[in-house]
Amino acid sequence: MVVGTESLRSFVESVEEVELLLRADEAPETFLPSPGERRKSRELKNALCRAGMVMLVAHFEGYVKSALAEFLDEITKAKPPSRRLPDSLLELFTRDRIQEIFHLEDAGERINKTRKLFNVFSDLWDDDRSVNPRLMSSRALVRQFTNAKAESLESVLVLIGVDDPIVRIEGVVRRRLEDNLHEASGVKLSAKLQEIVEKRNKIAHGDLTEKPTIPEVRGYLTFLLCLARSLDELIIERIGYCCSLR
């Protein structure tokens, strides 16, 4: 029985390098200028936090994409009947192929591929037929996740069959944060992700006024780890359902 995705394990390991950046101020003899050079010391700390912020969000977005690809890989291995897959997912793969054909300039090629589309993709919509792995693309699914904002996260989770994903995840993330921080958490998932992505974008686009502190970045790290674990549970749940052969 799957207890966690490889993607989650990789994400947990990857954020260690963010912690390495944040711990730089704890070893000034190794990382920072001498105490007398306070301005340079402050600038280096700012740079480390900014780098850590960008790296952290990149790792989280990478985790989500990897977990989505892992979800589809499990389906293509199991080859369950198509009725176990949500219509939204079947529609995505069919639409992706239609769009590919639509942009062909050669009319003859378009006609041939359209005929093949109806002959081949009809199997994907036959409830009792095992899904054909060649008709599904993890690349098409991963492309639907564009950034770590709640809207993008929600849309891709709905595609794989999760109902009201943000509502489902928010309570779980709060409980995990409370367990980690030993205090009540009233975090709003959408607002927190918006805040994190906006900070990352400002830094990545060269805004030097955006200077997250070490405690802020550590707080974001804890939040994204809690979120990733909650997402992973949903993805494992969907793998279990979709890969059932019943």
Side-chain angles (χ1 to χ4, degrees):
M1 180 178 179
V2 182
V3 295
T5 64
E6 288 294 333
S7 304
L8 178 64
R9 287 190 277 277
S10 178
F11 175 58
V12 172
E13 291 173 2
S14 68
V15 296
E16 290 179 3
E17 64 177 340
V18 179
E19 274 289 0
L20 181 63
L21 287 175
L22 300 181
R23 286 197 300 268
D25 68 315
E26 298 170 3
E29 70 283 356
T30 304
F31 293 98
L32 302 178
S34 64
E37 299 180 84
R38 290 183 178 179
R39 184 182 64 82
K40 289 184 179 179
S41 177
R42 184 171 61 251
E43 288 175 351
L44 182 53
K45 285 183 180 180
N46 286 338
L48 290 169
C49 286
R50 285 162 57 84
M53 187 75 197
V54 173
M55 189 182 297
L56 173 62
V57 181
H59 283 319
F60 175 74
E61 291 176 341
Y63 155 70
V64 175
K65 292 178 180 181
S66 178
L68 291 169
E70 198 169 336
F71 161 80
L72 200 63
D73 286 345
E74 292 297 324
I75 290 174
T76 56
K77 289 177 191 173
K79 300 179 184 177
S82 64
R83 65 176 178 273
R84 303 300 292 186
L85 273 60
D87 287 346
S88 54
L89 193 61
L90 300 177
E91 188 271 340
L92 169 67
F93 299 134
T94 309
R95 169 166 44 93
D96 193 61
R97 184 60 172 159
I98 290 172
Q99 289 174 337
E100 180 184 326
I101 294 171
F102 179 77
H103 288 98
L104 292 173
E105 294 184 0
D106 185 276
E109 189 177 4
R110 277 201 314 275
I111 291 169
N112 289 333
K113 288 186 179 294
T114 300
R115 180 183 294 112
K116 186 177 180 181
L117 170 73
F118 282 94
N119 289 337
V120 175
F121 272 76
S122 60
D123 290 349
L124 200 60
W125 293 89
D126 186 333
D127 286 351
D128 296 320
R129 188 182 292 272
S130 295
V131 295
N132 184 343
R134 291 178 299 175
L135 303 181
M136 298 183 291
S137 164
S138 58
R139 183 176 57 188
L141 178 58
V142 168
R143 272 204 311 263
Q144 308 311 304
F145 180 70
T146 55
N147 58 64
K149 290 183 181 179
E151 296 85 353
S152 179
L153 191 59
E154 181 172 39
S155 65
V156 79
L157 289 173
V158 167
L159 272 178
I160 66 172
V162 181
D163 295 327
D164 297 321
I166 300 302
V167 173
R168 289 187 61 182
I169 294 170
E170 191 168 65
V172 180
V173 171
R174 283 179 182 172
R175 288 193 293 276
R176 282 200 159 99
L177 285 173
E178 289 167 2
D179 291 342
N180 275 275
L181 305 175
H182 307 292
E183 61 183 42
S185 172
V187 67
K188 296 290 186 182
L189 196 63
S190 296
K192 195 70 171 178
L193 287 172
Q194 181 80 16
E195 174 187 331
I196 289 172
V197 173
E198 285 183 354
K199 281 181 181 290
R200 186 279 304 272
N201 289 348
K202 286 180 181 178
I203 294 169
H205 294 146
D207 186 344
L208 297 177
T209 64
E210 192 61 61
K211 300 174 182 178
T213 65
I214 288 174
E216 282 178 327
V217 180
R218 280 209 170 103
Y220 295 142
L221 188 154
T222 300
F223 168 76
L224 290 177
L225 279 172
C226 290
L227 175 56
R229 290 191 169 99
S230 302
L231 286 172
D232 217 61
E233 290 172 354
L234 285 181
I235 290 171
I236 292 296
E237 177 186 302
R238 294 305 302 162
I239 289 173
Y241 177 84
C242 292
C243 291
S244 171
L245 300 180
R246 294 196 302 274

